[in-house]
Amino acid sequence: MTDLNDIPSAMSTSALETKLRGLKEQAKEHSQVLTAKLATSQSGQNLLHIGTSLSSLPPDLHTLLTQLHPVLSSAETTEKQYLQHLEKFVNCGVEIRKEERRVHNAKECASLYQDLVAAERVVKKDAADRRDEAYSRSDTVAEKVDRVSSLERCAHTTLCLIQDLQSSTDMISAMTASKVKHVDSATALPSMRLALGDDTERAQFVMKLSPRIRRLESDTIISLSYRLEETLKILQHRREGRLASEDADKLPEEEDLLLLLGHCMRGLALLGRGKEVESIFARVAIMPLIRSKVSMGSLDEGGPRGECAGLAPLLNDMISTIAQAFGPALQLADVMFDVGSKMEVDLVTAGVWAPIATALMADAGIKMAIFSPGIASILQANYMALDTFLAELAQRLLQQSSQTQKPASGSMENLYYHATTSPETIQRAQNRIYSHTKTAEFAKKWNLPIYYQLRFGECCTRINRAIEHTKEGGWITEVYTGKPEDAATMRNEVGFELSFFLELYEVLLSLWRSDVFLRPLTNRFLRGSVQLVGRNVAFIEDGLTGKIKFGVEKEPEPQENGGQEMSNGIAPPKPKMSAPYCWAESVNDVAAVAWELAILETTLGYDYVSVVSKTLANGDATAAEQAELRTLVLEVLKDASGQIRPLVEKMWNKVIVELITEKCSSPLAAVKGVAATYRMTNRPPPSQASPFVSTILRPFKEFSNEFSQRKPDHIGDGWKIQIISMVTDRYCAAVEELLTTVARTEVTLQSRRARRATSGGMSDGDKVKLQVYLDCEEFCKQIESVGVNPASISGVEKLKSLTAEAATKSAEKSEAVLSA
């Protein structure tokens, strides 16, 4: 159905005809749809007898439009009248809302203005009181507290006014910047639910008060700053006992002074002037103390000039004085403002530590004496003194005194706020000190790499001196330069015997003493320890290979008679006597050094790790943290100890083996003399081993007896087997050569076998073979006596095979004797 609103109230004939044609086409389409629907139902089929279509059903539309036109015109007129009345009502309502808003804004402006006037009155009165010193001195404690609390309220009022001023400025700026006007839709009806437009009347009023607000802010800050300075001075004089008896009775007590300080600090913090509080505290309380105490004379007090012997006492005196004079004020400020991530007022860090650090860094002479003394011990002492001072600063300033008495119950003092510091509060204050920019700047002044170079240079000097003296006099040279009691401790508890290794271990321990070690240089000191061990291991290894000789080239003493005369007035060059030797050729030296190295390896893995871990661990470290630290230190020192074991194994399994083998092989030259003993001597057959056999393993036995208790466990008995095997192989070669010579001789002397009868029927060759057999049997007994199974030595089997013939004849001879 066509909406009547779509029919215009006055149309031309052509427009009506066009509209009529459109309606006819729509009527035809609708009649077809209706006919189709009627055909699908029984009732509709009963109506179809009227006609095959509904084209003749609608009436004449022109007549219908003519009749509806007056009605529609009347409806439009009524609608316009109602719309005008609605707009009038809405406009009246908007005006009423605007007036209500103006009334509300007027009340707010009046209240705001009253607060401004009241605050100005308080500030002006305080300024007048400050100028009238006589009036200020006559104030009672209650009046002082009321004045300062009023100033804090003024600060709060000023903060509110500033916030209103800022919001008003932002509103005007936004309205000025925005030029886009929102136009309501033409079809939208007027409504009182729509928001009112922006009103700048209140903002303009506040902005007109801007000069007075800013002046009020400035005057409030001045008043609060003055009262803060005044209260700090009174508090300092009272706590230090510098007030006369009559003045002490008139001035506020400590609790009242802390109350005044709280009002002043909170008022300035409200206005965003926390830095001003810190600056005032530093200027009034700390800087006069620094100027009175810090000087070159006080730094050198108690010691020679330039050694800063008085630095630690000076810092201790300063912190004690500050804690005595301003401890409660610092505790109050820290507890009062430690309420979030951002600290509005931090007196401990910015008020105490920053001025002290600045004073120490500002003066060129003091800066040079503390940070760059040029002597490692002085630099370390200065660093430790300041590091201890910094680490204990928050604890000593914020720790509440045990003499603090709680007010009695029922007294007015119970209504006061009492600051109570906790361990967590103190720790947070200490963390703020460490994270402050002044602390980072202060830390950069220390030239710690130079300090490490000086200390490491001292260690290298001691090691180089020990090496040079050892090279001149050998391993028995006394090169230890430490304390005798420390040497006795290392000999008894660690086990070192050679002076060289005592010096080395004492140098390694010196890196971690409290008067040498600095925690920021931990990685360098660990690396230095590894380097020192590596330097000494390289020295020992060069001695083993013969690159380094021990001993010195000495000049011969001048001869009294028979010396060379001067020729043409020129003295002939003096010949030099060379006495250097390779200590690796002495098996005792090699074994002793190997034992010292084994002790050093064990010590680096246990005792030295404990020393380093104890130095690095904090006092409050848990057992798990200490175990983890020990593991890390052990991993680092493995680089040092890992160089030692291969060298010790080389010394035992190669150098010592070769040296003892050579010594044991010397008596084997007597094997050739066995043939000469019986050749054409008509001596009886041998009945016991040759005397030289018992001397073959004598060097081995002597060495084993001397160093059996000084052999590392990981070496085992392999070195013994190597020595016995090598000596046995050489013995086999000598025996084989002897028997070959004997066999050749027997072939040559076959024509003289008739002489056997005179010697019991044995030829000289048989006697030699029997002697060799007896010697080999004795040698096998000597092998067993040193704890080695002869069956495990391959050369023993070869000896038995070489002497098998003699063994058979010896057995036959024994049987013949038994049978006889």
Side-chain angles (χ1 to χ4, degrees), residues 16-29 61:
L16 290 174
E17 290 177 352
T18 303
K19 190 69 174 179
L20 178 60
R21 287 195 296 271
L23 292 173
K24 286 182 178 181
E25 292 176 357
Q26 294 179 7
K28 185 177 180 181
E29 293 175 359
L61 294 177

Side-chain angles (χ1 to χ4, degrees), residues 504-624:
L504 170 60
Y505 192 61
E506 205 281 331
V507 168
L508 292 175
L509 291 177
S510 67
L511 291 173
W512 306 98
R513 290 201 305 259
S514 58
D515 58 345
V516 174
F517 173 72
L518 292 181
R519 188 171 296 275
L521 298 174
T522 300
N523 61 327
R524 293 176 181 261
F525 277 91
L526 284 172
R527 185 177 62 199
S529 302
V530 175
Q531 291 174 343
L532 290 174
V533 174
R535 169 73 175 88
N536 288 271
V537 170
F539 164 67
I540 295 172
E541 194 167 8
D542 289 342
L544 284 178
T545 58
K547 294 180 180 179
I548 294 179
K549 303 288 185 179
F550 279 14
V552 293
E553 295 182 350
K554 298 182 179 179
E555 295 184 357
E557 297 181 359
Q559 301 178 0
E560 295 181 0
N561 299 316
Q564 294 179 338
E565 300 295 337
M566 296 181 61
S567 177
N568 298 327
I570 301 176
K574 296 180 180 181
K576 292 186 177 181
M577 299 177 60
S578 178
Y581 67 95
C582 181
W583 65 269
E585 297 174 355
S586 171
V587 66
N588 290 344
D589 284 355
V590 175
V593 172
W595 176 243
E596 299 289 307
L597 285 174
I599 295 176
L600 179 61
E601 178 192 9
T602 304
T603 305
L604 288 176
Y606 293 94
D607 296 345
Y608 194 66
V609 171
S610 300
V611 172
V612 176
S613 301
K614 183 178 179 180
T615 304
L616 296 179
N618 294 323
D620 55 350
T622 62

Side-chain angles (χ1 to χ4, degrees), residues 36 42 57 82 109 111 129 210 273 305 409 436 466 504 608 672 704 710 747 755 758 760 798:
Q42 184 62 39
L57 290 178
Y82 288 161
C109 291
S111 176
D129 294 342
S210 175
R273 297 306 178 99
R305 182 173 179 82
S409 58
H436 196 264
L504 170 60
Y608 194 66
K672 297 180 180 180
S704 181
R710 293 188 292 175
V747 172
R755 302 179 66 180
T758 61
K798 187 175 181 180

Side-chain angles (χ1 to χ4, degrees), residues 726-742:
M726 295 174 67
V727 173
T728 304
D729 292 340
R730 295 186 181 187
Y731 192 18
C732 287
V735 169
E736 187 175 8
E737 182 181 356
L738 174 63
L739 295 178
T740 301
T741 304
V742 169

